Amino acid sequence: MQNNQKIIAIFGAGGFLGKHLMRKLTKLDYRVKVATRNPYLKGYLKPLGSPGQIELFKTNIFNEDDVREVLKDCDFVINLVGILHETKKQKFSQIHSQFPFMLSNLCNEYDIKKLVHVSALGIKENHDSKYMQSKSQGEKNIKEIFKSSIILRPSIVFGPEDKFFNTFASLAQFSPVLPLIGGGETKFSPIYVGDVAKAIVKSLELDNLEPKIYELGGPKNYSFKELMEILLTEIKKKRFLISIPFGFAKFQSYFLQMMPNPLLTPDQVELLKHNNIVSGDYFKLKDLGITGTPIQDILPKYIYRFRTGGQFG
Ligand SMILES: NC(=O)c1ccc[n+]([C@@H]2O[C@H](COP(=O)([O-])OP(=O)(O)OC[C@H]3O[C@@H](n4cnc5c(N)ncnc54)[C@H](OP(=O)(O)O)[C@@H]3O)[C@@H](O)[C@H]2O)c1
């Protein structure tokens, strides 16, 4: 271990984004402290660095002593903790608002150089979605408390193991129809997971004394319907795209939300009522010197497994 290695604490590193970020950080010689609820399930992270470069900590993010243990001796902190739907025990407000509040206070106390917080694109005052309300409050907490922070707001993130394309491709395996909620007109700016990871790395190098917000979108906006068409072309399947009005989708979502990994919740129906694209009111991906990767360059490389015959299909 070199003494000049900078130490980064990452909360939520075992998820989709964290896995893609880890190798970029270890290649740059950072030492990484991973805070996770279940280190015994996160062994796959260790080979992404040299021996001793990645350390796993069993952390309950609501136990201040656990969080202090991770932050001790760190230079930088990255927060990737997030959920898409609530459960009886996990509420948006705790995960997206209260944890950032505690984390930013502790970052001040431990003299952390930079806090990079991953939020979500589409945040605005008085959003009807509880997910967005909680993400918005989380950002406010960080901005008020920890000045040397960078807030990144990605649109839908795609790449190997993403939830978006993989979920709909799985659905197309057995369902003759794919739903277009609200007609599938909602627009997204899908961004490659590797580009979000690059944005996080670049953020660590910024020298800001006040919080900065970056909206992260890919090179092109697509409607939900266009994304389903791209997906179906790639997996070489013909499926009916059925338009479902928001009201009926909301009704269905009350039942679907009872599933362990719900395909749709009432809160997500609220999210789908708003476009999820870069507004132009904040810094963007290109302000970090990154050019967005088109969907067409990446999607075929991992979604082929849903074709009949796989890569030979
Ligand atoms: N993926 C996207 O399309 C997308 C789009 C916009 C914004 N974002 C945001 O980007 C961030 C990372 O997303 P992701 O796709 O990598 O999510 P992910 O794969 O679901 O990973 C989220 C991480 O959050 C942690 N977490 C969840 N509930 C927790 C709890 N109760 N206590 C402690 N940790 C908890 C988990 O860590 P452990 O299991 O290790 O404890 C998990 O590794 C999130 O804030 C998300 O909201 C993602």
Side-chain angles (χ1 to χ4, degrees):
M1 193 73 61
Q2 296 167 12
N3 287 333
N4 60 359
Q5 272 182 313
K6 295 272 185 257
I7 308 179
I8 304 187
I10 313 186
F11 295 82
F16 169 51
L17 192 42
K19 275 187 257 178
H20 286 266
L21 171 66
M22 194 61 74
R23 190 67 195 119
K24 290 204 181 338
L25 294 175
T26 53
K27 268 190 188 166
L28 290 170
D29 216 22
Y30 286 109
R31 216 181 111 194
V32 186
K33 291 173 94 175
V34 171
T36 173
R37 289 167 293 180
N38 38 24
Y40 40 88
L41 294 177
K42 301 286 157 53
Y44 55 81
L45 291 174
K46 288 239 171 187
L48 300 174
S50 45
Q53 197 177 8
I54 299 170
E55 219 177 331
L56 305 181
F57 289 75
K58 183 167 170 50
T59 312
N60 171 356
I61 58 168
F62 301 108
N63 180 324
E64 204 175 298
D65 291 338
D66 280 10
V67 178
R68 283 178 183 279
E69 187 57 33
V70 180
L71 294 185
K72 216 165 55 186
D73 306 324
C74 283
D75 299 283
F76 303 107
V77 175
I78 300 171
N79 180 24
L80 304 175
V81 173
I83 52 173
L84 271 175
H85 49 84
E86 296 188 311
T87 62
K88 268 189 191 142
K89 286 194 181 153
Q90 292 200 123
K91 299 295 172 201
F92 286 140
S93 62
Q94 297 169 310
I95 305 274
H96 297 154
S97 315
Q98 286 170 28
F99 175 59
F101 178 81
M102 175 170 67
L103 187 62
S104 40
N105 273 307
L106 291 177
C107 281
N108 271 330
E109 204 179 304
Y110 282 87
D111 227 0
I112 297 297
K113 292 188 184 74
K114 181 88 56 206
L115 166 62
V116 181
H117 171 75
V118 179
S119 184
L121 193 62
I123 284 182
K124 57 178 187 179
E125 292 293 323
N126 309 321
H127 205 296
D128 287 328
S129 148
K130 278 168 73 183
Y131 171 89
M132 281 298 178
Q133 287 164 16
S134 64
K135 284 277 192 187
S136 170
Q137 187 57 48
E139 286 192 2
K140 275 187 197 151
N141 292 344
I142 287 177
K143 281 191 290 181
E144 273 165 27
I145 299 166
F146 190 73
K147 296 299 169 194
S148 186
S149 54
I150 298 289
I151 293 170
L152 302 177
R153 296 176 169 176
S155 183
I156 292 178
V157 185
F158 67 90
E161 298 173 39
D162 66 32
K163 291 190 189 81
F164 185 78
F165 285 118
N166 279 293
T167 303
F168 285 102
S170 306
L171 188 62
Q173 290 299 92
F174 60 87
S175 169
V177 298
L178 290 182
L180 296 180
I181 292 154
E185 283 166 18
T186 315
K187 285 197 164 49
F188 296 90
S189 187
I191 178 160
Y192 172 47
V193 64
D195 293 336
V196 181
K198 275 188 199 165
I200 294 174
V201 173
K202 288 271 182 187
S203 301
L204 295 172
E205 295 159 6
L206 294 174
D207 196 12
N208 58 308
L209 297 175
E210 287 299 317
K212 281 176 99 172
I213 296 179
Y214 287 80
E215 290 190 331
L216 305 182
K220 205 173 157 202
N221 296 335
Y222 298 90
S223 69
F224 185 88
K225 185 176 178 201
E226 286 169 333
L227 290 174
M228 289 302 105
E229 286 166 349
I230 291 172
L231 174 68
L232 289 172
T233 306
E234 274 313 323
I235 61 174
K236 298 188 178 173
K237 291 208 171 6
K238 287 196 166 61
R239 296 290 182 264
F240 294 107
L241 296 175
I242 302 281
S243 182
I244 301 181
F246 284 119
F248 187 59
K250 189 110 182 219
F251 172 74
Q252 286 181 317
S253 67
Y254 285 113
F255 301 100
L256 289 171
Q257 69 176 333
M258 291 171 204
M259 291 162 68
N261 272 318
L263 190 61
L264 190 68
T265 65
D267 201 68
Q268 284 163 356
V269 176
E270 290 306 325
L271 282 176
L272 284 167
K273 288 182 183 170
H274 302 269
N275 288 336
N276 195 259
I277 56 178
V278 172
S279 69
D281 298 338
Y282 298 90
F283 293 106
K284 301 192 214 42
L285 193 65
K286 83 168 189 311
D287 296 312
L288 289 165
I290 303 166
T291 306
T293 310
I295 294 183
Q296 291 76 3
D297 287 5
I298 302 292
L299 186 66
K301 293 185 180 151
Y302 65 94
I303 213 69
Y304 64 80
R305 68 193 181 96
F306 291 98
R307 282 185 209 147
T308 309
Q311 59 184 307
F312 304 109

